[in-house]
Amino acid sequence: ITPDSNANNQARYFGQALAVDGNLLAVGAREAYESGVSYVGAVYLFDLNGTSPTQIARITASDGTSGDVLGYSVDISGNLIAAGARQVDVSGKSNVGAAYLFRREANGSVTELAKLIHEDPQSSDYFGDAIAVGNSVVAVGAKEDDVLVSGNNKSNAGSVTLFKIG
């Protein structure tokens, strides 16, 4: 399986992350260029019906910028696609990370539903490093989140944040 176009680095690092649900395959391309901007990232959606997979969408974040790496992690459940962008900068803090939730519409188009951010965004948390979606919940991992355990700060202990959909 390859994307429809590899021109201009549009699918750079295609295959970084994969997820299958039914006849849909989501593939992350974390270093994909968007309109000439490097490492914005993208997610490719394929229909697995028929004799060979067909690309049905190339998904990017509406606010994607250089170095965000959307597609570092991906998951799909029904018509929902979740993608991590672990290097998004938030409020002047670098590599905080974010997760995006998209919906495949009945007409085949894809709609961005939400940008999910950690409740206490800090530099180098890498929120969106891992992602899962199912049963009306999105789980987002932040592998280097500093957390309090029994009143003590545990540097880079990591965390998972849950978001209820709907």
Side-chain angles (χ1 to χ4, degrees):
I1 297 173
T2 57
D4 288 349
S5 175
N6 285 310
N8 303 315
N9 290 310
Q10 284 186 327
R12 187 174 163 88
Y13 273 50
F14 178 84
Q16 162 65 38
L18 308 166
V20 176
D21 186 43
N23 290 315
L24 291 177
L25 167 68
V27 180
R30 76 173 192 219
E31 291 188 6
Y33 283 46
E34 178 62 24
S35 301
V37 179
S38 62
Y39 304 165
V40 174
V43 175
Y44 288 81
L45 193 60
F46 292 87
D47 184 340
L48 301 178
N49 284 317
T51 57
S52 64
T54 304
Q55 181 179 320
I56 54 177
R58 180 178 188 269
I59 303 167
T60 57
S62 61
D63 64 350
T65 62
S66 180
D68 285 354
V69 298
L70 177 74
Y72 190 91
S73 58
V74 297
D75 199 17
I76 186 168
S77 179
N79 64 347
L80 295 175
I81 302 112
R86 67 180 231 135
Q87 292 175 204
V88 167
D89 296 340
V90 176
S91 301
K93 297 175 182 173
S94 63
N95 298 326
V96 170
Y100 291 82
L101 186 62
F102 303 93
R103 179 178 57 225
R104 181 172 183 235
E105 306 295 347
N107 67 5
S109 67
V110 176
T111 302
E112 183 178 312
L113 298 177
K115 177 179 182 181
L116 308 173
I117 302 292
H118 191 282
E119 64 187 348
D120 181 27
Q122 298 299 319
S123 293
S124 300
D125 278 349
Y126 299 105
F127 185 81
D129 192 66
I131 198 158
V133 61
N135 297 322
S136 299
V137 173
V138 178
V140 184
K143 75 174 191 167
E144 294 187 27
D145 188 14
D146 298 341
V147 297
L148 287 176
V149 178
S150 301
N152 297 311
N153 184 33
K154 301 294 182 183
S155 179
N156 297 334
S159 68
V160 173
T161 302
L162 302 177
F163 296 89
K164 184 77 173 162
I165 303 168

